[in-house]
Amino acid sequence: KIVHYLFLLLIIFTAAVSRIYDLQNNPPALNQDEAVNGYDAYALGNTWKDHHGASFPQPMLESFSDWTSPLITYITIPFVKVFGLSEFSIRLPVAIMGVLSVLLFYILIRQILKNKNYALIGAFIWAVSPWTVSLTRWAIPPSIAPFFILGFLNLFFWAVQDESKNLKNWKTWVKFILAGIVAALTVYTYPTMKLFMPLFVAGISLIYFRKHFWRLAALCVIFLAIISPIFYLTLKDPRSE
């Protein structure tokens, strides 16, 4: 048991080094999406307004003649506040979520397959996979989507595996509510998630609706309530698609 968790710690350490080491220089320079994300985080942290003067919070942030998903910017605010505005502070939250994704993937596999060795292998593959490493060294919206999708899946399977049939058991309700909140936050990570997550949540809920009808109904209501502002803006301004 100790050896297993030592290997897990080694994998997470490997993931951290590959994602955080020399983060400010590699990739070289910020691209335009990283720059506007960092400056908006700086502006919001100091004035509660973005670089267009729009007050916090907004369902989407206006960028260069278009709209961008806001969650990465909101997450970046405390890092820029603490470390100052720099390449490192802008990229650090994404790199940290990239490291935590390794742990989330480990937990997800162990939860589904009930096998800690398969989970360890999966975590190692996620930790060293070139696309996961390179993606989480860029502070761009799609970089944080896998973290939130994994978070939703972990919470969802944790909830549906609860065998309690007592509708008065508030702990079970909390699990489904948390899953709904994280699913909704995922929609705010990247424009593609506005199409993917509603279909994904609906599809995965259909599998378990007979066993957890009322709780899944609550999950979907919370999900729809939280994502409604971003869909309202999408319909109002076609540039936000």
Side-chain angles (χ1 to χ4, degrees), residues 188-223:
Y188 289 87
T189 61
Y190 188 56
T192 305
M193 295 297 108
K194 289 188 286 185
L195 174 62
F196 173 74
M197 283 307 294
L199 295 175
F200 187 51
V201 170
I204 199 170
S205 296
L206 284 174
I207 299 173
Y208 297 95
F209 83 98
R210 288 187 178 180
K211 185 178 179 182
H212 298 285
F213 177 80
W214 291 110
R215 290 164 181 149
L216 284 170
L219 183 157
C220 291
V221 168
I222 290 169
F223 174 73

Side-chain angles (χ1 to χ4, degrees), residues 74-117:
Y74 296 156
I75 292 171
T76 306
I77 292 173
F79 290 86
V80 171
K81 197 77 173 167
V82 172
F83 298 106
L85 184 60
S86 66
E87 290 91 342
F88 179 77
S89 64
I90 292 170
R91 290 173 173 170
L92 183 59
V94 178
I96 290 174
M97 283 187 279
V99 176
L100 293 177
S101 294
V102 176
L103 181 60
L104 288 176
F105 195 57
Y106 168 86
I107 297 170
L108 181 63
I109 295 177
R110 187 163 180 174
Q111 191 171 195
I112 294 173
L113 300 181
K114 311 296 183 185
N115 188 305
K116 63 181 182 180
N117 292 326

Side-chain angles (χ1 to χ4, degrees), residues 8-237:
L8 179 59
L9 285 173
L10 181 60
I11 290 169
I12 293 173
F13 176 76
T14 302
V17 171
S18 61
R19 286 158 176 79
I20 299 176
Y21 174 72
D22 200 29
L23 189 60
Q24 67 275 17
N25 297 315
N26 188 12
L30 298 175
N31 66 26
Q32 68 175 31
D33 290 336
E34 291 181 293
V36 73
N37 162 47
Y39 186 75
D40 269 340
Y42 174 79
L44 287 166
N46 286 280
T47 68
W48 291 83
K49 293 184 178 181
D50 66 12
H51 72 281
H52 285 283
S55 298
F56 174 88
Q58 294 288 327
M60 297 193 80
L61 296 173
E62 191 171 359
S63 183
F64 302 108
S65 299
D66 64 353
W67 296 85
T68 183
S69 301
L71 191 57
I72 186 172
T73 301
Y74 296 156
I75 292 171
T76 306
I77 292 173
F79 290 86
V80 171
K81 197 77 173 167
V82 172
F83 298 106
L85 184 60
S86 66
E87 290 91 342
F88 179 77
S89 64
I90 292 170
R91 290 173 173 170
L92 183 59
V94 178
I96 290 174
M97 283 187 279
V99 176
L100 293 177
S101 294
V102 176
L103 181 60
L104 288 176
F105 195 57
Y106 168 86
I107 297 170
L108 181 63
I109 295 177
R110 187 163 180 174
Q111 191 171 195
I112 294 173
L113 300 181
K114 311 296 183 185
N115 188 305
K116 63 181 182 180
N117 292 326
Y118 289 161
L120 202 63
I121 294 170
F124 174 74
I125 293 172
W126 189 283
V128 301
S129 177
W131 79 267
T132 63
V133 174
S134 61
L135 184 67
T136 49
R137 292 182 69 93
W138 291 95
I140 54 177
S143 298
I144 65 173
F147 171 80
F148 282 92
I149 292 172
L150 288 171
F152 164 67
L153 287 172
N154 271 289
L155 288 168
F156 183 86
F157 285 113
W158 180 46
V160 297
Q161 289 173 8
D162 191 322
E163 298 296 330
S164 175
K165 295 181 180 179
N166 182 8
L167 291 178
K168 294 183 179 180
N169 186 341
W170 64 270
K171 292 182 180 179
T172 308
W173 285 95
V174 168
K175 295 176 184 179
F176 281 90
I177 290 169
L178 288 174
I181 292 171
V182 174
L185 289 176
T186 308
V187 175
Y188 289 87
T189 61
Y190 188 56
T192 305
M193 295 297 108
K194 289 188 286 185
L195 174 62
F196 173 74
M197 283 307 294
L199 295 175
F200 187 51
V201 170
I204 199 170
S205 296
L206 284 174
I207 299 173
Y208 297 95
F209 83 98
R210 288 187 178 180
K211 185 178 179 182
H212 298 285
F213 177 80
W214 291 110
R215 290 164 181 149
L216 284 170
L219 183 157
C220 291
V221 168
I222 290 169
F223 174 73
L224 292 172
I226 296 175
I227 68 173
S228 58
I230 198 171
F231 278 93
Y232 172 76
L233 181 58
T234 300
L235 294 173
K236 183 179 178 182
D237 190 336

